[in-house]
Amino acid sequence: MSDDTQLVSKVLVLDGNESYFDRIKIFCDNNNLVGVRALEANVLAVLKSNVDLGAILLSEDYGGKAHGGVALARQINRARPELPIFLRREQAANLDGLSEKDRKIFCVAYTIDSIADLRKVLDEYIFSLVYPNVMVRGIKEITQSALEGLFKDANIETEAPYIVRDRIIYGEVFSLIPLESNWCRGYMMLQSGGADILRIAQSGTQQAKLTSADFRSINHVLGEATNLIWGAFKNRYFSDDDRSGIFKTQVPIIINHQHRYISFGSENPQLCFKYTLSDKQDSTKNPAIIFQRFVFNLNWSPEDFKEVQASLEELVDSGELELF
Amino acid sequence: MAQILVVDDSSTVRNEVCDFLKKNGLTVIEAVDGKDGLVKLKGDPSVKLVVSDVNMPNMDGLTMVEKIRSELGNSTVNIIMLTTESSPSMKDRGKAAGIKGWIVKPFKGDAVLGSFKKLVGL
């Protein structure tokens, strides 16, 4: 796997013992985790914002109190029940001594000396879906190309793709489009701050330059970006055979506007990409951020994944006319 | 009186394609989906070329093409699909309905302008 497609996941590290941070960092570095920290007073605020978390590493004595971590875990669980919490204890790597109700909040307990054993639960709780490298790399290429085509006067940077479990909606505008084949079924979302996209689209001479500056124009630009990426994804990964005979189950998609939360009825971790669009002409302007998420909640059979070789070989370059 | 009908539900694409064609001296009308495309084509028999998306609400582009040939009885207007799709089965359906060509988005005007001009008789 090349570095640029190595999937990682961010974990929030809430540990009261600073002397353990080096060992926790080594564990994170060795297991494709990116540890982020938050001030104690800001923990719940951080959880309500979009930080794309995969899990939380929490110490039982967090906040300097014997069971301060457990009390905080109850609050975290109320705010973000989708996030797995791994509890670090001083004496034993088990949940003995906690009430039955509190035990349910934690996925697993560990001690600093047994932290390596967390490797097994990472696969269960964070990296439970296998995303083929060639697909991850391809998504990045497809999306970068689509955004470059739409925003010609923007520099576009892509961070390393990562796995998230949170369900928080980023920004003010998002698109949602189904992906349907015999080997996967789910959705792709693009999420962005409306004002940022508007600012980037209004500058320069790019293709997506807006003729009017209202929210409908932003919708159209994000919609066309979604369409270009969706089409390229299908052309590259879904053959005609893959699209036939799809069993059309569906589950409700729940959107909670108050909490900026969207649920696809599945606890599966989501594949996430972050793109940063900045103005080539004026680097002082705030960049626009686009988050792209893949949620294969209805079917995920990566063992059947393949690129469409025939299409690759016969592909006519985009933008060129294939005459019949 | 227009030479080209551009059918796409995305105003971003319609603006881009129409602006390019107008800048290059072609007259253009727009439609927002397949249903609208049928109405616009029926109302302007001078159209020589239809450039249409495939995936659109209300009526998709391939259904519109089939209805142009069957319901409107227009067997002469040239039709090119401009779409993100490139599946062989979709192309076959388009060919069966008599489309002239297929362009995979994004639109690159300079690459197709010569062909468009030929198809409108310039």
Side-chain angles (χ1 to χ4, degrees):
Chain A
M1 186 187 280
S2 66
D3 287 339
D4 64 341
T5 54
Q6 183 79 50
L7 287 176
V8 298
S9 186
K10 289 178 196 162
V11 291
L12 185 60
V13 180
L14 304 172
D15 202 295
N17 192 331
E18 296 228 354
S19 65
Y20 290 162
F21 282 152
D22 283 348
R23 293 172 73 176
I24 293 172
K25 184 175 186 314
I26 290 168
F27 172 77
C28 289
D29 291 346
N30 290 340
N31 290 283
N32 300 330
L33 300 176
V34 178
V36 293
R37 293 168 65 182
L39 293 174
E40 188 182 342
N42 295 340
V43 170
L44 291 177
V46 166
L47 289 172
K48 284 178 183 166
S49 68
N50 182 75
V51 286
D52 298 323
L53 291 173
I56 295 173
L57 301 183
L58 174 67
S59 67
E60 186 172 15
D61 59 357
Y62 188 69
K65 296 172 194 161
H67 297 289
V70 178
L72 178 61
R74 292 185 199 120
Q75 295 182 64
I76 292 171
N77 189 245
R78 275 196 294 275
R80 303 288 293 277
E82 74 274 21
L83 289 176
I85 305 174
F86 305 150
L87 182 69
R88 186 185 63 72
R89 311 189 81 181
E90 285 298 332
Q91 302 301 327
N94 59 51
L95 296 170
D96 292 354
L98 297 180
S99 70
E100 202 57 40
K101 197 174 173 186
D102 284 340
R103 284 169 180 243
K104 289 179 182 168
I105 297 174
F106 303 103
C107 300
V108 69
Y110 69 101
T111 65
I112 197 66
D113 292 326
S114 69
I115 191 169
D117 294 341
L118 281 185
R119 171 70 252 177
K120 287 172 268 182
V121 294
L122 293 183
D123 286 340
E124 181 181 350
Y125 287 101
I126 301 181
F127 300 108
S128 56
L129 293 190
V130 175
Y131 293 103
N133 295 345
V134 67
M135 186 191 85
V136 173
R137 198 164 42 244
I139 289 170
K140 188 175 153 185
E141 289 167 8
I142 286 167
T143 308
Q144 187 103 17
S145 169
L147 295 177
E148 283 169 356
L150 270 175
F151 300 95
K152 287 190 169 26
D153 290 329
N155 284 318
I156 295 158
E157 291 174 17
T158 312
E159 291 185 8
Y162 50 101
I163 299 295
V164 296
R165 291 194 70 95
D166 70 41
R167 304 288 182 261
I168 300 295
I169 297 168
Y170 171 81
E172 282 73 46
V173 53
F174 80 92
S175 68
L176 184 64
I177 195 163
L179 292 167
E180 299 266 339
S181 81
N182 283 345
W183 65 267
C184 74
R185 292 188 66 214
Y187 296 86
M188 181 187 79
M189 281 191 288
L190 294 185
Q191 308 178 341
S192 182
D196 302 330
I197 284 289
L198 181 63
R199 190 167 47 242
I200 292 291
Q202 281 180 310
S203 61
T205 56
Q206 62 247 10
Q207 193 162 317
K209 188 172 182 179
L210 303 182
T211 50
S212 63
D214 64 17
F215 75 91
R216 292 175 190 82
S217 302
I218 301 168
N219 294 353
H220 286 307
V221 171
L222 200 68
E224 189 52 25
T226 307
N227 186 40
L228 286 171
I229 298 162
W230 176 73
F233 185 95
K234 288 197 304 172
N235 293 336
R236 193 150 164 177
Y237 302 123
F238 298 169
S239 69
D240 271 3
D241 288 344
D242 284 335
R243 300 180 215 194
S244 64
I246 294 166
F247 184 52
K248 300 282 186 188
T249 52
Q250 279 297 346
V251 296
I253 296 167
I254 311 296
I255 298 171
N256 182 321
H257 291 285
Q258 185 182 2
H259 292 282
R260 310 179 66 78
Y261 181 97
I262 181 164
S263 165
F264 293 83
S266 158
E267 295 300 312
N268 288 341
Q270 302 170 358
L271 177 61
C272 188
F273 297 78
K274 180 181 177 185
Y275 304 90
T276 303
L277 287 66
S278 54
D279 194 323
K280 281 181 185 169
Q281 313 300 327
D282 185 354
S283 59
T284 62
K285 287 181 182 169
N286 286 336
I289 307 293
I290 294 178
F291 284 96
Q292 179 187 41
R293 288 185 178 211
F294 289 82
V295 189
F296 297 108
N297 59 327
L298 298 169
N299 177 25
W300 179 244
S301 307
E303 64 276 13
D304 295 327
F305 164 83
K306 59 186 180 301
E307 282 197 82
V308 183
Q309 286 305 319
S311 292
L312 287 174
E313 287 157 12
E314 296 164 9
L315 202 62
V316 173
D317 282 343
S318 61
E320 290 186 11
L321 174 61
E322 179 185 4
L323 284 169
F324 299 140
Chain B
M1 298 282 282
Q3 294 162 309
I4 302 180
L5 168 63
V6 176
V7 189
D8 201 304
D9 57 319
S10 164
S11 63
T12 306
V13 173
R14 288 200 311 275
N15 291 340
E16 180 203 353
V17 175
C18 291
D19 286 353
F20 175 83
L21 296 175
K22 286 175 190 169
K23 272 183 202 161
N24 285 281
L26 294 158
T27 52
V28 185
I29 52 173
E30 302 177 31
V32 298
D33 57 35
K35 266 190 176 175
D36 190 30
L38 283 178
V39 172
K40 296 280 168 61
L41 185 61
K42 197 174 179 181
D44 190 345
S46 63
V47 169
K48 298 283 188 298
L49 171 63
V50 177
V51 179
S52 177
D53 190 11
V54 170
N55 294 305
M56 293 182 288
N58 299 317
M59 185 187 291
D60 68 85
L62 290 174
T63 301
M64 180 195 73
V65 172
E66 287 160 355
K67 286 182 181 290
I68 287 172
R69 302 305 190 208
S70 59
E71 289 185 11
L72 298 190
N74 185 335
S75 58
T76 56
V77 69
N78 295 305
I79 303 172
I80 286 173
M81 309 312 291
L82 172 61
T83 174
T84 58
E85 300 282 357
S86 71
S87 102
S89 63
M90 282 200 181
K91 288 182 182 177
D92 288 345
R93 190 177 155 199
K95 280 182 204 174
I99 65 169
K100 277 277 194 249
W102 197 279
I103 302 170
V104 177
K105 288 180 182 177
F107 178 70
K108 294 173 185 165
D110 291 332
V112 298
L113 182 62
S115 300
F116 280 21
K117 284 188 169 175
K118 275 186 196 165
L119 290 170
V120 298
L122 294 178

